[in-house]
Amino acid sequence: MRAAPLEIERVGSRLRLRGPIGFASAREGLAAIGALLGNVEAIDLAGVTHADSAGLALLLECLKRAAPARLRLESPPPQLLALARAMALGGLFEAP
């Protein structure tokens, strides 16, 4: 059974992610998000249904590509927040 695809929607200066961000979607997700990053101020993660270390790596790469602009990562699901905290990266996330 194939996992649901990652959906990315741009709304003004925000990107909204829905679905899984992980090993299965990271490469395609990064390409799609990278194409939309211009003038984006925040990525809303409230709709993320699954995240693993590849998903966290995808978000770190988004932050790197957005630099020197400041990109906020908002509303992480508990699984992603726990993973980030375990890697001492919990400070990456902000409440909306």
Side-chain angles (χ1 to χ4, degrees):
M1 186 168 119
R2 185 180 161 118
L6 175 63
E7 297 176 24
I8 304 160
E9 176 186 20
R10 182 162 182 164
V11 179
S13 63
R14 305 170 63 82
L15 293 181
R16 291 185 183 153
L17 275 54
R18 283 188 293 279
I21 54 172
F23 291 106
S25 62
R27 180 172 292 154
E28 289 177 5
L30 182 58
I33 292 169
L36 298 171
L37 269 180
N39 298 315
V40 168
E41 297 175 1
I43 297 178
D44 181 354
L45 303 167
V48 171
T49 58
H50 169 80
D52 59 25
S53 59
L56 183 57
L58 178 151
L59 296 172
L60 291 171
E61 182 62 23
C62 289
L63 291 172
K64 178 180 167 185
R65 289 184 183 191
R70 186 162 190 279
L71 177 64
R72 293 183 317 278
L73 302 175
E74 300 176 341
S75 304
Q79 179 184 25
L80 183 57
L81 188 55
L83 178 61
R85 286 179 176 156
M87 301 174 92
L89 297 170
L92 293 175
F93 302 104
E94 298 180 8

